[in-house]
Amino acid sequence: MQEKLEDILNQAFKKLGYEVDAKVVKSKEENVDFQCDNLFSLAKEYHKAPLVIGEDIVKTINEMDDFSLYFNSVTLAKPGFINICVSDEFINKMLKELINKDKFGIEEEHNTIVIDYGGPNVAKPLHVGHLRTAIIGQAIYNILKFKGNKVIGDVHLGDIGTQMGQVIYGIIRDFPNTDFKDIEFDLDYLNKTYPEMSALCKENDDVKAKCLKITKDLQDGNSNYKILWKKICDISIADIKRLYEYLDVHFDLWYGESDSYKQFSEMIPFIESKGIVKEDDGAKIIDVKEDDDKIDIPPLILQKSDGAYLYATSDLGTIWQRKKDFNPDAIIYVTDNRQALHFKQVFRATRKANIYDGSLEHYGYGTVNGPDNKPFKTREGGALKLESLIKEVKDEFINLREENKNMGSEDLDKIVNAIIKFADLQNDLTRNYIFDIKKFSEVNGKTGSYILYSYLRINKLLSNNDGNLSSEIYNDVDRALRLKLLDVSNVINEAALERKPHYIANYLYELAVIANNFYEANKMNGIDEKIRNDYDIVLSFNNKVLKKLLSLLGISIPKAM
Ligand code: ARG
C-alpha cells in the first residue's frame, strides 16, 4: 500500500516539476492513515514555503480521475504534511491481493548466511545469557530463512577453553591410578566438578598452573587428555542438546572451537605472510587500532608466549573455515554485548589479513535482569541456570490458575516457551530488561500467553468462508484490523534487513490487541451472511499471520489454554 501511495505522490511531484523520491509513512494522527513529509526538504531545495508546494500537490491528487479508488481524503496540514486517508476500496483491494500472495509477498533474498548463536561451554551449565543468544539467534535464523536465504546455524561450542583443563585435572585427582580409558563419570559429576575446580584455581596458583598446562597440552593434541576430553564432551553435549531441544532451538552444525584449531596450520602462515604479525614479549599480536578510534583498541593476541591460542585466534580460524566451506555473504554473531570489543578485534584482523571480505556482523545483547534491575543472580549469587529459569516460569504459570494444573505437558511446554521467548524478543536486543516472571506469565498484557490466547480464541470463532472478500468495511475496528494486516510484509522485511526480531514481536502484540478489540466489538453470530463471510476471511488471515510470525519467533501454538 505504501509503495502504491508513493507512486501516486511521485507522479504528482513530477507533474509539477519537483524532483523527489516520495516517502510515505504510517501516521499516528487520529483519522489519518499515512503521511508524507517530503515538503520540508523540497521547500529548501526549491526556495518555496512547504505549504505552497503542498497545496499544489494536494490539489493535483484530488483532481485525479481515480481519486476515490485510493483515497477518502488527501489534505494539507501545518506546518507541511500531506495527510492521507485511504479508501475502504483500496484497503480491500490490497488485502485481497495480500491474502493470495505466497509468503505475504515479502521480497525474497538469496544470500548464504552463517549464524553463530550458541556458544555454550562444554562442562559448564547453560545460564540465562545462553538463553538470549539462542532465542534471538534462532529468531534471526528463522526470519532470514523465511526471506529465502540459505541459512546455516552453527552452535560453536566452547569445547577447548580453560574449563576443560580444570575438569580434566579434577578427574585425574578423583580417579588416581586408573587407566584413562576405564574412567567413568556422569553429568552430576561434571556439574559438581567444574565449579569446584574453578573455585580451587582461584585460590591455588599451583593448581591453576597445572590446569593451564593441561589445557595447552590438550590443544596440542595430547592423546591421553583427548580420551577424557571426548568423554566430557559426549556427556555435556547430550545435556546441552536436551535444553536446546526444549527451547526448539536447532543448529545445522555442531562445531566447536576445537574444530577451528584444525585450520591453524594453514591460516597462521597465511596471516604471517601478510606482514601484519608483531612479536610482543614472546607473544604474536596483530595491531588493529585505527586512526579515528575514540577508545583504545588493544591488539589481537594471535598466540601467547607459551604457544597457547586464545579465543580470538579460534574465531579467526572459524571464519577461515566458514569461508572455505560455504563462502557465505554474511556471518552473524549473537552474543552478550560485553563481547563487542572482542568481535571488533576479530573483524578488523580478518580484514587486515584478507581472510574474508563478506559482511561480518555482531549483535550484542543486553543482560537479563532480576527485580532489582541487576543481572539475574541466584540466591547464592551465581548466574541463574537456564534450567532453573525454565522451571520457575513453569511453576508460576501452573500456579496462576486452577485449570493450568491439569494441562498436558506438551501444551505447557509450548506456553512456557512462548512466555520466555516473547518476554525477551519484545525488547530491542541491545537493551537490558527485567525478567518479571509474574508479569510475563499473565494472560493479559504484552506477553506470549496473551498472543497465544488471542489466537486460540479467534480460532474458535472461525467457520468456513467462500474466499471472496466483498468491497465493504463495516466499522472502525474492522478497518483498523485490515489496515494493520497490510503491514505484515513491511514488518518482516524490516526485521530481516536490520536483524531485529522485536519488530515482529511488537507487531504481533499490536495486531493481537486490534484483533481482540475486533471480536469484542463485533458479533460473529446472528449477523448477515455476507458480513459473516467477510469477517471469517479477515480473521482467518489474521490468525494465519499470527501463527506464521509466532513461528518465526520460535513460538508454537498449544492445542488449548
Ligand atoms: N563460548 C563463548 C562464551 O561463552 C561464546 C561464543 C560466541 N561465539 C563466538 N564465535 N565467539 O563466552
Side-chain angles (χ1 to χ4, degrees), residues 346-358:
V346 170
F347 294 173
R348 285 184 178 183
T350 304
R351 302 299 193 213
K352 256 190 128 165
N354 219 344
I355 289 176
Y356 169 71
D357 61 8

Side-chain angles (χ1 to χ4, degrees), residues 116 119-121 130 156 158 257 311 315 322 333 335 339 342-343:
D116 188 312
N121 298 313
H130 295 113
H156 198 75
E257 286 178 22
Y311 189 41
D315 263 321
R322 287 171 182 165
Y333 298 83
T335 77
Q339 297 204 21
H342 162 75
F343 283 103

Side-chain angles (χ1 to χ4, degrees), residues 123 163-180 182-186 189-190 193-194 196-197 211 214 225 227-233 235:
Q163 88 274 21
M164 295 312 258
Q166 295 172 353
V167 172
I168 291 174
Y169 178 91
I171 295 171
I172 297 172
R173 180 202 61 182
D174 294 344
F175 299 87
N177 312 319
T178 319
D179 199 327
F180 282 5
D182 301 327
I183 295 177
E184 303 270 355
F185 50 88
D186 60 10
Y189 174 81
L190 285 184
T193 304
Y194 168 69
E196 193 191 319
M197 296 314 303
C211 291
I214 296 175
Y225 292 152
I227 297 172
L228 293 179
W229 176 82
K230 180 87 181 50
K231 287 188 188 189
I232 300 169
C233 286
I235 294 170

Side-chain angles (χ1 to χ4, degrees), residues 16-283:
L16 294 169
Y18 298 109
E19 201 67 56
V20 66
D21 208 3
K23 184 106 197 80
V24 167
V25 295
K26 284 225 137 185
S27 170
K28 289 189 178 76
E29 301 276 310
E30 221 177 305
N31 298 322
V32 181
D33 301 323
F34 297 95
Q35 73 182 40
C36 164
D37 45 16
N38 287 90
L39 298 179
F40 301 106
S41 59
L42 278 178
K44 269 206 197 106
E45 215 183 311
Y46 289 86
H47 308 290
K48 285 189 191 172
L51 287 175
V52 172
I53 303 176
E55 208 164 317
D56 290 342
I57 299 291
V58 166
K59 186 161 173 279
T60 307
I61 293 177
N62 274 280
E63 281 166 3
M64 280 167 51
D65 287 339
D66 48 4
F67 178 84
S68 61
L69 210 66
Y70 300 109
F71 304 107
N72 276 348
S73 69
V74 177
T75 54
L76 193 60
K78 279 182 189 156
F81 298 106
I82 298 174
N83 284 348
I84 300 169
C85 184
V86 290
S87 70
D88 290 359
E89 195 176 345
F90 189 28
I91 295 177
N92 280 338
K93 179 176 169 298
M94 296 305 293
L95 189 59
K96 268 187 240 181
E97 280 178 28
L98 178 62
I99 290 174
N100 289 318
K101 273 181 187 157
D102 194 31
K103 291 189 172 187
F104 311 124
I106 54 168
E107 294 147 25
E108 291 246 354
E109 287 170 358
H110 300 284
N111 294 317
T112 300
I113 301 170
V114 175
I115 311 190
D116 188 312
Y117 59 102
N121 298 313
V122 169
K124 291 195 207 175
L126 272 79
H127 56 74
V128 278
H130 295 113
L131 177 75
R132 289 213 82 184
T133 309
I135 303 182
I136 298 166
Q138 185 70 55
I140 297 177
Y141 180 106
N142 297 342
I143 295 164
L144 291 177
K145 188 160 181 174
F146 185 64
K147 283 280 283 179
N149 297 294
K150 178 177 174 196
V151 190
I152 302 149
D154 183 4
V155 71
H156 198 75
L157 294 164
D159 62 351
I160 192 103
T162 47
Q163 88 274 21
M164 295 312 258
Q166 295 172 353
V167 172
I168 291 174
Y169 178 91
I171 295 171
I172 297 172
R173 180 202 61 182
D174 294 344
F175 299 87
N177 312 319
T178 319
D179 199 327
F180 282 5
K181 279 197 277 311
D182 301 327
I183 295 177
E184 303 270 355
F185 50 88
D186 60 10
L187 186 66
D188 287 341
Y189 174 81
L190 285 184
N191 285 344
K192 170 175 85 55
T193 304
Y194 168 69
E196 193 191 319
M197 296 314 303
S198 154
L200 186 60
C201 283
K202 277 188 194 115
E203 65 199 33
N204 186 327
D205 284 342
D206 181 43
V207 175
K208 187 177 165 189
K210 284 186 175 137
C211 291
L212 283 174
K213 176 78 172 69
I214 296 175
T215 309
K216 167 80 176 71
D217 290 346
L218 178 70
Q219 292 177 352
D220 288 342
N222 177 306
S223 54
N224 272 328
Y225 292 152
K226 269 262 167 87
I227 297 172
L228 293 179
W229 176 82
K230 180 87 181 50
K231 287 188 188 189
I232 300 169
C233 286
D234 287 349
I235 294 170
S236 177
I237 293 171
D239 189 52
I240 289 170
K241 284 191 168 164
R242 176 183 64 83
L243 275 162
Y244 280 135
E245 194 65 41
Y246 185 86
L247 293 170
D248 211 358
V249 167
H250 306 276
F251 297 95
D252 302 298
L253 304 173
W254 278 82
Y255 287 143
E257 286 178 22
S258 65
D259 289 293
S260 73
Y261 281 61
K262 297 174 196 151
Q263 311 299 324
F264 293 173
S265 59
E266 209 177 281
M267 179 185 78
I268 303 224
F270 178 89
I271 298 181
E272 286 184 322
S273 76
K274 302 284 174 187
I276 56 171
V277 180
K278 288 204 274 191
E279 289 272 330
D280 185 69
D281 241 350

